[in-house]
Amino acid sequence: VIVFTSCSQSSQYIICGTVTNPALEGAMVFLVPLENATKETIDSVYISNQMFEFRGTEEKIADIRIERFKRFGNENLLVITEPGETFVTIGQVSSGRGTPQNDSLQVWKNLTKQYNMQVSSLRSQGRKEDAAALRESHIARTRQMARNVGKESTLGKFLNSRFPEK
């Protein structure tokens, strides 16, 4: 029995979440698959003591989001439901960590946020060529990250979908 239990737990994902806003107490939080989201594939739980938890076994990329009318001021969060424990914080700036793909996804999100701020600044200064060069660099970095994590991994497939190679 012990061997069976430990094997079945190894393929389970656990997302341990906290919210930074105490006003979200009792609100519903959703785990929404990016692909093929239906009523049957969306998971939901209530926030209690500023915490929530999702568990399952199917690996996919999904969006964690607060219920519609309480969502304002809280950033949605992309996560990968891979085996292991992922720790997420939902707030004005949301983040996740704890498993290999989620750690890499957080790095990509941070780099993408930096890129967006830099390219916006360059464009507002009329530096279109510099902005275009920065975009090419961002695309190359995203494609390299996809290769590094494995193009067939859940994260690799997601990153490849951002800038498919021709």
Side-chain angles (χ1 to χ4, degrees):
V1 174
I2 293 171
V3 172
F4 176 73
T5 302
S6 64
C7 289
S8 66
Q9 288 179 345
S10 68
S11 65
Q12 183 180 50
Y13 68 82
I14 303 169
I15 299 172
C16 302
T18 60
V19 295
T20 60
N21 184 348
L24 292 173
E25 188 66 23
M28 192 170 278
V29 61
F30 298 94
L31 181 66
V32 182
L34 283 192
E35 295 181 354
N36 306 316
T38 65
K39 288 180 184 179
E40 293 77 26
T41 61
I42 296 173
D43 197 357
S44 62
V45 295
Y46 288 98
I47 297 168
S48 176
N49 298 318
Q50 289 183 251
M51 297 183 292
F52 61 90
E53 182 176 284
F54 292 105
R55 291 176 179 257
T57 55
E58 182 186 350
E59 186 170 315
K60 61 189 173 286
I61 190 157
D63 192 37
I64 296 177
R65 60 180 79 156
I66 304 297
E67 66 181 84
R68 184 173 164 201
F69 294 110
K70 296 186 178 187
R71 191 176 302 159
F72 182 77
N74 296 287
E75 183 181 55
N76 292 353
L77 179 66
L78 284 177
V79 295
I80 296 175
T81 59
E82 68 180 309
E85 283 186 292
T86 301
F87 302 93
V88 303
T89 301
I90 304 298
Q92 284 185 323
V93 176
S94 297
S95 63
R97 63 173 177 75
T99 59
Q101 291 185 85
N102 281 299
D103 290 347
S104 295
L105 178 58
Q106 187 62 49
V107 168
W108 180 80
K109 289 186 289 189
N110 292 343
L111 291 170
T112 299
K113 191 174 281 191
Q114 273 183 338
Y115 157 76
N116 287 335
M117 289 185 337
Q118 290 171 336
V119 82
S120 176
S121 175
L122 290 171
R123 287 182 179 149
S124 69
Q125 296 170 30
R127 297 170 55 191
K128 293 179 183 178
E129 294 82 15
D130 291 336
L134 186 59
R135 176 174 166 70
E136 290 306 313
S137 174
H138 176 67
I139 291 170
R141 182 176 51 217
T142 298
R143 288 176 177 164
Q144 184 60 51
M145 285 186 81
R147 287 188 289 276
N148 290 347
V149 299
K151 285 187 170 190
E152 294 307 312
S153 69
T154 302
L155 179 55
K157 289 176 184 176
F158 169 76
L159 292 174
N160 273 332
S161 73
R162 304 295 79 181
F163 306 106
E165 295 193 51
K166 296 172 181 152

